Amino acid sequence: MELILEIKEVSKIYGSVVALNNLTLNVPQGQWLAIMGPSGSGKTTLMNIVGCLDSPTEGQVTLDGLNLGTLSLAGLTAIRRESIGLIFQEFHLISYLTALENVMVAQYYHSLVDEGEALEALARVGLRDRAKHLPKQLSGGEQQRVCVARALINHPKLILADEPTGNLDETNERLVMDILHGLHDQGSSIVVVTHAQEVAAHAERVIYLEHGRLVRDSQNDSLSEEDARKEPGQADVRVV
Amino acid sequence: MITNRSFMLRLALYSLLRRRSRLLAALVGVALGAVVLLGMITLCHDLPKQFRDEFRAYGANLALAGLGAERLSLADLAKAKALLPPDKLVGLAPFRYESVRNRLRPYVAVGTDFSEARKTSPFWRVTGEWPDEPGELLVGADIALNTDLKEGSFATIDGRNSRQSRYAKDFRVVGTLATGGVEDGFLFMALADMEAMTGEGEVADLAEASLTLKANDLKAAAALIREKVPKVEARLVSRVADSEANALAKLTYLVYLVTAVVLGLTMICVATTMMTVVLERRREIGLKKALGAENWRVGREFFFEGALIGLFGGFLGSLGGLAFARAVAQSVFGRALFPHLYLIPLTMAVMTAVTIVACRAPVRRAAAVEPALVLKGE
Ligand SMILES: Nc1ncnc2c1ncn2[C@@H]1O[C@H](COP(=O)(O)OP(=O)(O)OP(=O)(O)O)[C@@H](O)[C@H]1O
Ligand SMILES: [Mg+2]
């Protein structure tokens, strides 16, 4: 199976803090992975490294066949632009731009702006009629959906979402998860960091971090049931 | 249809227009700088030129007279004049003095060439008209004040010439001359009238020339006249105005210095404002980088916003500067100023350059923003 992500013996050390400790993880193309773990366990650190916003102190990360360690800063920037869609807990919309323009910003830095496509992306997250609204005129859930529209506009291979529903109520959480399901069905690989079991339950696979180490992997749980040929079933994971 | 280019313009404009407070601070700084820049350039460029034109003619700087007790013959005067560089000669006015009477009162009458006298003595203030026809008389202000010789009145001037024969001629007073000097006590008539009246011609007592020559060249010209026309005494007249012109030149220098300082302050104002803007917007910068924007693109956007502030602030400031220069010219120097419209784009260009230079440090700061750190959400 082709891997979208190959993390090999990666460590990240901030001074005396070991944020990631010799972590190894393979993510197949098209997988929906959830990362869980207590606060400070290194989830965001891992996401930043995978998202090419940070580099590991040690170890090797291969994204879609490219060894990130060999890339220059400009090369990493290009990967962010071409292959990754980021969804933030804090949305990070540009306050002086409308929903539509916020989506178009991603097009602008990627290649060419296309208002029609941007409107389609907004329609996909159910915000076609809020296109001309500024972030402050939108609810938190709506802002997060704009953020999702921005993340998917350039058809990234990998979507990284760090606590995407941390600031949302249940209704909006469900809306956002539905959109992610849509993307997943179309073949996108998704990595979601979350504290919430309900959110993790949407994923095919859940891993747990503690003190920068991988302490549990739902995939191995099912394998550890002494049936090597059995695929990691969604049902198994959802029970977690 | 929105293109990348128009989208970039839109980004910059909205960033400025929808976040007005910072923009205003930078804009005010730039506009004030532009007011000073354009105002000072206009004042320093125009006023000294006006003053120089005036100073050049501010009294004569070369006086010609006959040698010893001799009167100055007009033929010699013509010879002397031929020795002066014509393109540097602003004017050359002959003066001939005669003792005359009007209704038995004694006066000094001066015969001159009015059109030349106007050039060599621009400080003469005439109310009424300058004589330009035969039989017209200009009276000094003191005389006009104390006698019946006023504008509009008629006067018979009489006297005796050098051969002691009597003469008399009728004049009409057309104007009053005020200089604040001895001229206020004289009667002025055309030299031709004086010659006709006295029956004697071809002489004067004094001639004054105004030349646009530097002191050394002027000395040389006087020496040349003394050498080639021995019957003429040529002397330099020191002009009070020269030192004033020098003072003004120094003042101009000072004003340019002040302008440079103000531009420097503008730059600092814009730089600190943009630095604050970069700090305030570090999340946005981090986000753009996270979306895949290269440093140079983020930097270019800031330069672009800076340039827009420079252009717009420069434009507003230019208009203010023109008004400022006119007001100063009018109230301080008492003269009208003609706005040079080409200074507006020039000022806009200078202010744009200033803001772009001012954006350099903030742009470096923006390039140093680490998206992973600023997007964390604390
Ligand atoms: N830039 C940094 N400098 C120093 N230490 C850091 C830095 N970033 C993270 N750390 C430390 O690394 C560890 C892991 O942080 P990380 O943000 O990855 O945790 P997390 O799992 O995302 O936690 P949370 O659930 O609270 O978001 C923490 O101890 C944190 O203090
Ligand atoms: Mg985190």
Side-chain angles (χ1 to χ4, degrees):
Chain A
M1 190 177 301
E2 220 173 305
L3 297 176
I4 180 77
L5 194 58
E6 207 180 334
I7 296 168
K8 213 160 124 194
E9 293 161 11
V10 161
S11 296
K12 179 75 186 181
I13 298 163
Y14 295 107
S16 59
V17 179
V18 181
L20 289 178
N21 192 349
N22 203 26
L23 187 95
T24 298
L25 174 72
N26 289 337
V27 181
Q29 202 89 245
Q31 185 169 68
W32 183 340
L33 172 75
I35 303 177
M36 297 190 78
S39 184
S41 57
K43 305 181 297 293
T44 299
T45 304
L46 180 59
M47 290 293 257
N48 283 341
I49 288 172
V50 171
C52 300
L53 294 171
D54 209 344
S55 13
T57 316
E58 259 169 62
Q60 182 181 312
V61 180
T62 307
L63 185 73
D64 199 23
L66 266 174
N67 180 352
L68 299 184
T70 63
L71 296 176
S72 64
L73 274 181
L76 291 174
T77 306
I79 299 274
R80 288 204 293 274
R81 195 166 53 221
E82 301 297 334
S83 309
I84 291 170
L86 292 170
I87 302 172
F88 310 93
Q89 177 174 359
E90 312 278 337
F91 324 138
H92 294 308
L93 299 180
I94 297 178
S95 62
Y96 55 84
L97 295 181
T98 62
L100 179 66
E101 287 157 354
N102 264 289
V103 175
M104 289 169 79
V105 164
Q107 293 178 318
Y108 173 68
Y109 290 120
H110 177 266
S111 48
L112 294 174
V113 290
D114 182 332
E115 198 174 1
E117 256 184 47
L119 279 171
E120 262 172 48
L122 281 177
R124 205 161 153 192
V125 299
L127 289 175
R128 180 72 171 73
D129 53 337
R130 312 300 299 271
K132 302 277 175 196
H133 290 226
L134 291 172
K136 62 168 179 254
Q137 296 166 316
L138 299 172
S139 74
E142 287 163 340
Q143 290 187 45
Q144 186 58 298
R145 277 140 70 195
V146 175
C147 181
V148 172
R150 180 179 64 192
L152 62 82
I153 188 70
N154 295 318
H155 312 289
K157 286 215 170 100
L158 177 61
I159 290 175
L160 300 177
D162 195 346
E163 301 271 6
T165 57
N167 286 334
L168 304 186
D169 64 5
E170 261 174 60
T171 321
N172 278 297
E173 180 180 303
R174 203 171 326 114
L175 280 171
V176 169
M177 292 330 275
D178 285 347
I179 300 165
L180 288 184
H181 272 293
L183 289 170
H184 182 235
D185 291 344
Q186 287 178 352
S188 295
S189 312
I190 299 175
V191 179
V192 177
V193 166
T194 183
H195 280 118
Q197 290 291 348
E198 317 86 79
V199 174
H202 288 270
E204 299 165 286
R205 175 183 176 194
V206 184
I207 61 169
Y208 294 86
L209 296 189
E210 237 165 70
H211 302 300
R213 289 173 187 276
L214 204 165
V215 294
R216 204 172 137 205
D217 187 336
S218 66
Q219 192 169 279
N220 296 341
D221 288 350
S222 51
L223 287 176
S224 69
E225 282 168 9
E226 305 301 326
D227 193 345
R229 273 160 301 168
K230 192 183 165 200
E231 285 289 312
Q234 275 193 4
D236 293 349
V237 176
R238 285 203 170 156
V239 176
V240 175
Chain B
M1 171 76 187
I2 302 170
T3 62
N4 268 31
R5 190 165 296 211
S6 66
F7 192 73
M8 176 173 159
L9 181 67
R10 192 195 276 217
L11 278 182
L13 279 179
Y14 287 176
S15 149
L16 293 174
L17 295 178
R18 292 184 186 156
R19 305 170 60 261
R20 251 167 262 148
S21 55
R22 291 289 168 215
L23 164 72
L24 225 58
L27 208 58
V28 166
V30 172
L32 285 181
V35 165
V36 173
L37 177 64
L38 191 138
M40 289 309 181
I41 288 181
T42 307
L43 286 176
C44 287
H45 187 74
D46 259 39
L47 283 185
K49 199 171 154 304
Q50 283 194 27
F51 279 127
R52 260 200 308 281
D53 290 349
E54 226 164 71
F55 288 165
R56 178 168 56 209
Y58 209 77
N61 51 359
L62 186 69
L64 304 172
L67 212 56
E70 291 285 304
R71 292 186 101 174
L72 179 66
S73 93
L74 292 188
D76 284 341
L77 183 58
K79 277 187 214 159
K81 183 180 178 182
L83 294 172
L84 296 172
D87 54 322
K88 307 285 189 196
L89 185 64
V90 178
L92 178 85
F95 295 99
R96 173 176 166 187
Y97 301 89
E98 295 291 343
S99 299
V100 298
R101 296 188 312 176
N102 169 248
R103 297 198 194 171
L104 302 178
R105 282 174 146 212
Y107 293 99
V108 173
V110 182
T112 188
D113 179 333
F114 284 111
S115 64
E116 292 295 310
R118 288 178 85 150
K119 293 185 215 157
T120 58
S121 308
F123 52 89
W124 284 14
R125 296 276 170 257
V126 168
T127 47
E129 279 170 25
W130 286 82
D132 55 0
E133 302 215 351
E136 291 184 342
L137 197 65
L138 187 66
V139 299
D142 290 346
I143 299 173
L145 196 68
N146 299 316
T147 71
D148 293 339
L149 291 174
K150 294 184 201 310
E151 196 186 325
S153 67
F154 291 88
T156 302
I157 305 293
D158 62 274
R160 286 171 195 273
N161 66 14
S162 61
R163 283 164 279 132
Q164 295 302 314
S165 53
R166 300 194 63 87
Y167 60 77
K169 182 170 166 58
D170 291 333
F171 285 90
R172 187 167 67 87
V173 179
V174 294
T176 308
L177 170 68
T179 68
V182 285
E183 292 87 353
D184 290 2
F186 295 163
L187 299 173
F188 288 83
M189 61 182 65
L191 191 57
D193 276 346
M194 185 171 269
E195 289 175 346
M197 178 176 78
T198 58
E200 292 172 336
E202 289 309 310
V203 289
D205 293 288
L206 178 71
E208 287 182 348
S210 177
L211 291 144
T212 57
L213 288 179
K214 300 242 166 64
N216 278 342
D217 297 333
L218 201 60
K219 264 183 211 154
L224 186 69
I225 290 173
R226 281 196 295 270
E227 186 198 327
K228 299 273 164 140
V229 196
K231 281 186 176 165
V232 173
E233 175 61 53
R235 279 178 294 108
L236 268 57
V237 179
S238 70
R239 288 198 293 197
V240 186
D242 278 350
S243 58
E244 282 179 28
N246 276 338
L248 197 76
K250 277 184 192 141
L251 196 67
T252 304
Y253 188 69
L254 192 72
V255 165
Y256 279 130
L257 208 70
V258 169
T259 306
V261 169
V262 168
L263 285 186
L265 289 176
T266 302
M267 202 178 280
I268 291 171
C269 162
V270 174
T272 47
T273 307
M274 287 308 271
M275 198 59 110
T276 316
V277 166
V278 166
L279 287 180
E280 278 179 354
R281 292 166 71 183
R282 58 189 189 282
R283 289 254 178 105
E284 177 191 327
I285 295 166
L287 171 79
K288 286 175 173 174
K289 289 187 181 184
L291 290 178
E294 296 94 337
N295 279 343
W296 64 264
R297 274 184 98 158
V298 174
R300 186 176 69 175
E301 283 166 21
F302 274 102
F303 278 129
F304 193 61
E305 280 186 30
L308 284 182
I309 291 174
L311 277 178
F312 192 60
F315 178 69
L316 290 183
S318 297
L319 300 184
L322 284 180
F324 167 75
R326 287 186 89 143
V328 169
Q330 196 56 251
S331 65
V332 179
F333 299 100
R335 62 197 66 215
L337 208 87
F338 294 98
H340 298 291
L341 293 182
Y342 72 88
L343 286 177
I344 293 180
L346 192 77
T347 305
M348 288 167 71
V350 171
M351 296 323 289
T352 306
V354 165
T355 50
I356 284 180
V357 172
C359 283
R360 280 176 43 178
V363 161
R364 268 201 298 276
R365 177 60 74 80
V369 166
E370 294 272 2
L373 287 183
V374 297
L375 292 178
K376 269 199 153 171
E378 284 95 48

